Amino acid sequence: MSESRTDLAAPPPLTDEDRAYLATYDPRKYAPVAVTVDIVILTIDRGELSVLLVRRGVPPYRGLWALPGGFVRANEDLGAAAERELREETGVGLTEAPAADRGGPAEADRGEPGLAGDYLEQLRTYGAPDRDPRMRTISVAYLALVADVGRVRGGDDAADAWLWPVAGIEQGRPRLAFDHARIIRDAVERARSKLEYTSVATSLLPETFTIGDLRRVYEAVWGVRLHPANFRRKVLATPGFVVPTGEKVSTGRGWTELYRRGTTTTLHPALLRRSQLSTADGDTPDTL
Amino acid sequence: MSESRTDLAAPPPLTDEDRAYLATYDPRKYAPVAVTVDIVILTIDRGELSVLLVRRGVPPYRGLWALPGGFVRANEDLGAAAERELREETGVGLTEAPAADRGGPAEADRGEPGLAGDYLEQLRTYGAPDRDPRMRTISVAYLALVADVGRVRGGDDAADAWLWPVAGIEQGRPRLAFDHARIIRDAVERARSKLEYTSVATSLLPETFTIGDLRRVYEAVWGVRLHPANFRRKVLATPGFVVPTGEKVSTGRGWTELYRRGTTTTLHPALLRRSQLSTADGDTPDTL
DNA sequence: GCAATAGTGTCTCTCAGACATTATGGT
DNA sequence: ACCATAATGTCTGAGAGACACTATTGC
């Protein structure tokens, strides 16, 4: 079965006819289009799910806040462009460089032990004809989950950079350039559902963490309160999610076991959010 | 709560500075890039999950099979381009025109009763620098699930069109142009997981159908055998998935109730596939 | 009668959620 | 003493999967 399958990644060879045709092909005869990559970098800042934004230093929308991003360079892969932007903004390298353009369940194991493995996946592409007043611009948006954005610093055309709570973004603070509010909304929804069936929540934590730390990540991203006992039981019952380091740390009031991420990326069973069917009563549903 | 939220879709207004800047902006100074839309149109043909392919009538790769698609027109939205291509290839209109660019759980109810509601959602964007020998080409791929492709017919630059079983595609038959084999693989994976937690399987069926028809759709897409009794119980226990029409039809040997799609798009509870952990024994696991 | 499918009922096992209880150690 | 958190254990209900059984009708 392994030998009979063709390599899906290999492009077909060109024929002589193809080469003759390409010699007469003029790429400049079409309407100009720009392709950009924008990254939604999510992290937990002071207990809140937050997004890294840069204040635009050039027109259009100079002074407004926007997602970090930029034009895709010639001969640069989309995933490579996203990774480059992520590095420029956070100064943090990625653990899983070649997997940057894959994402999804097919992705390989992550996390060489000892490195904070940031997460990066393609989110969606936005191409409304009027979304950029300069010209027709297609933006391939990426979602990044990082434990630490380093010292927040501006990039090339960014006068300033700051972590903004997602809760505020959803209420329109601050004003965002282009259609970036919509992109962030989609990214947060993707992140929320990714936490259900993958182990990416560990990308929002340092190398070692307690079960309580992991629970607070889920609470911050989902915006709910989780039942500590049930959460702990479910996490430890999911093979490969976390592995104990053997060390204990004095957190809260007592001693707690430290864990690091396991080798599993897709969780079996998943940590499902409570079904969105409202409980119809006002109290906070203590779930999980 | 409804009034305090800003409209995420409204673009920010331009300033005087922006207008002055845009007057001097020249879009032609960047390297030329082309943006295309390719559609993976999946349907059930003779009981097999199949994909609509067209044989290329022009170079490059003339004679090879490829996904239907084409260049995005100036001032044309990505979703509109995908919908246009889908119409051109199948001759079947979409039920849910404005939702074409949304997809995902946030999408509204589908299916005016009486119309076969095809499904269309953005899949992923492919932009490897060498994926098109003509020039740098960014392809925004869409996934479509349709009940009937109509009479299979070629489009503009297609010499021929045909439904190919997905099982053969995964083994390299036929040879595909560009990176379309990879795109189809991603689309099939997306479709398989969409069937778990949404009701899109009904998009692969005519307006009315039996529970057995619905089960055979799941079997064809997932490539497994499902337990008829358990499948029936789970489908009918999921509120809003299907609604009985009151009619009965003589299918198989006996009379069976006819159903049509319900108003629910996200299933609670989901119809989960058996956990991929192999059963380690050779027999076909009769699951669900 | 036989074959094939539709449909009902039941049993077991797993898991989610709620809750009770104890331990720990800083304030 | 008090309290917040960690950690363990138990109970109940929902759902998944397996299986037994009946009904119907074309062959």
Side-chain angles (χ1 to χ4, degrees):
Chain A
M1 179 178 184
S2 56
E3 285 299 324
S4 65
R5 305 187 66 167
T6 58
D7 185 2
L8 296 180
L14 293 178
T15 64
D16 290 340
E17 178 193 52
D18 287 345
R19 275 182 282 269
Y21 165 78
L22 292 173
T24 68
Y25 187 85
D26 178 18
R28 303 245 168 208
K29 64 184 174 186
Y30 299 105
V33 180
V35 177
T36 66
V37 161
D38 292 321
I39 315 189
V40 183
I41 302 173
L42 297 180
T43 191
I44 308 290
D45 181 51
R46 287 183 289 270
E48 282 187 298
L49 180 66
S50 305
V51 58
L52 183 68
L53 298 178
V54 295
R55 196 201 293 269
R56 286 185 60 80
V58 297
Y61 305 128
R62 185 154 68 94
L64 283 193
W65 294 84
L67 292 172
F71 291 94
V72 177
R73 296 175 181 168
N75 292 320
E76 183 183 40
D77 195 9
L78 295 177
E83 193 177 338
R84 172 175 56 80
E85 296 285 346
L86 177 59
R87 274 192 226 273
E88 285 175 7
E89 299 297 334
T90 68
V92 174
L94 280 180
T95 310
E96 29 149 17
D101 201 31
R102 271 303 295 131
E107 136 182 285
D109 283 352
R110 324 171 51 247
E112 280 109 76
L115 282 178
D118 294 341
Y119 179 79
L120 180 65
E121 73 161 25
Q122 190 183 304
L123 173 65
R124 185 184 171 80
T125 296
Y126 300 83
D130 59 348
R131 62 177 295 280
D132 188 327
R134 288 169 292 190
M135 63 184 293
R136 183 72 194 269
T137 302
I138 307 294
S139 173
V140 185
Y142 278 76
L143 165 65
L145 303 179
V146 307
D148 188 357
V149 294
R151 53 193 177 82
V152 171
R153 60 181 182 186
D156 294 307
D157 60 342
D160 203 355
W162 198 253
L163 285 174
W164 290 85
V166 163
I169 302 278
E170 289 167 349
Q171 258 121 48
R173 292 173 351 116
R175 290 290 308 276
L176 295 181
F178 308 108
D179 51 359
H180 288 185
R182 154 86 185 278
I183 297 177
I184 292 173
R185 187 187 58 185
D186 291 348
V188 169
E189 184 48 50
R190 173 80 65 92
R192 284 180 175 144
S193 94
K194 274 267 165 181
L195 256 62
E196 289 189 277
Y197 57 94
T198 74
S199 62
V200 285
T202 56
S203 297
L204 294 165
L205 286 171
E207 188 194 344
T208 60
F209 48 86
T210 69
I211 300 291
D213 293 335
L214 184 61
R215 175 172 51 81
R216 280 180 284 274
V217 166
Y218 274 86
E219 291 177 333
V221 175
W222 286 351
V224 297
R225 298 271 299 164
L226 297 179
H227 197 290
N230 293 335
F231 181 84
R232 173 187 174 78
R233 174 164 44 85
K234 286 174 68 172
V235 167
L236 295 181
T238 304
F241 193 178
V242 297
V243 293
T245 64
E247 298 170 276
K248 287 189 183 298
V249 69
S250 158
T251 177
R253 286 104 177 130
W255 295 94
T256 310
E257 183 93 8
L258 272 183
Y259 295 83
R260 71 177 79 244
R261 66 163 54 97
T263 53
T264 305
T265 54
T266 46
L267 304 182
H268 295 287
L271 281 95
L272 297 177
R273 280 179 284 184
R274 188 198 205 80
S275 55
Q276 285 84 335
L277 315 169
S278 69
T279 45
D281 49 314
D283 66 318
T284 316
D286 213 42
T287 162
L288 261 188
Chain B
M1 179 182 181
S2 57
E3 285 300 323
S4 66
R5 306 186 67 167
T6 58
D7 184 3
L8 295 180
L14 293 177
T15 65
D16 288 341
E17 179 193 51
D18 286 346
R19 275 182 282 269
Y21 166 76
L22 292 173
T24 68
Y25 187 84
D26 178 19
R28 304 243 167 209
K29 64 184 174 185
Y30 299 105
V33 180
V35 177
T36 66
V37 162
D38 291 322
I39 315 189
V40 183
I41 302 173
L42 298 181
T43 192
I44 308 290
D45 182 51
R46 288 183 288 270
E48 282 187 301
L49 180 66
S50 305
V51 58
L52 182 69
L53 298 178
V54 294
R55 195 202 293 269
R56 286 186 59 81
V58 297
Y61 304 128
R62 187 153 67 94
L64 283 194
W65 293 85
L67 292 172
F71 291 95
V72 176
R73 297 176 180 168
N75 292 318
E76 183 183 40
D77 194 8
L78 295 177
E83 194 177 337
R84 172 174 57 80
E85 296 285 348
L86 177 60
R87 274 193 224 275
E88 285 174 7
E89 297 298 334
T90 67
V92 175
L94 280 181
T95 309
E96 30 149 17
D101 200 31
R102 272 302 292 135
E107 137 183 282
D109 283 353
R110 327 170 50 247
E112 280 111 75
L115 283 178
D118 294 342
Y119 180 78
L120 180 66
E121 72 161 24
Q122 189 183 304
L123 173 66
R124 187 183 169 82
T125 297
Y126 301 83
D130 59 349
R131 61 178 297 280
D132 187 328
R134 288 170 291 190
M135 63 184 293
R136 183 72 193 270
T137 302
I138 308 294
S139 172
V140 185
Y142 278 76
L143 165 65
L145 303 180
V146 306
D148 188 357
V149 295
R151 52 193 178 84
V152 171
R153 59 182 183 187
D156 293 308
D157 60 341
D160 203 354
W162 197 253
L163 285 174
W164 290 86
V166 163
I169 302 279
E170 288 167 350
Q171 257 121 49
R173 295 176 344 123
R175 290 289 310 276
L176 295 181
F178 308 109
D179 51 359
H180 288 185
R182 155 85 185 279
I183 297 176
I184 292 173
R185 188 187 58 186
D186 291 348
V188 169
E189 184 47 51
R190 172 81 64 93
R192 283 180 176 143
S193 94
K194 275 267 164 181
L195 256 61
E196 289 190 279
Y197 57 92
T198 75
S199 61
V200 285
T202 57
S203 297
L204 294 166
L205 286 171
E207 188 195 342
T208 60
F209 49 85
T210 69
I211 300 292
D213 294 334
L214 185 61
R215 175 172 50 81
R216 279 180 286 273
V217 165
Y218 274 86
E219 290 177 335
V221 175
W222 286 351
V224 297
R225 297 272 300 164
L226 299 178
H227 196 290
N230 293 335
F231 180 84
R232 172 187 174 80
R233 174 164 46 82
K234 287 174 67 171
V235 167
L236 295 181
T238 304
F241 193 177
V242 296
V243 293
T245 64
E247 297 170 277
K248 286 188 183 300
V249 68
S250 160
T251 177
R253 287 98 176 136
W255 296 94
T256 311
E257 185 93 8
L258 272 183
Y259 295 82
R260 70 177 79 245
R261 66 161 52 96
T263 54
T264 305
T265 54
T266 46
L267 304 181
H268 296 285
L271 281 99
L272 296 177
R273 279 178 286 184
R274 187 197 206 83
S275 54
Q276 286 85 334
L277 316 169
S278 68
T279 46
D281 48 314
D283 64 319
T284 316
D286 213 42
T287 161
L288 261 188

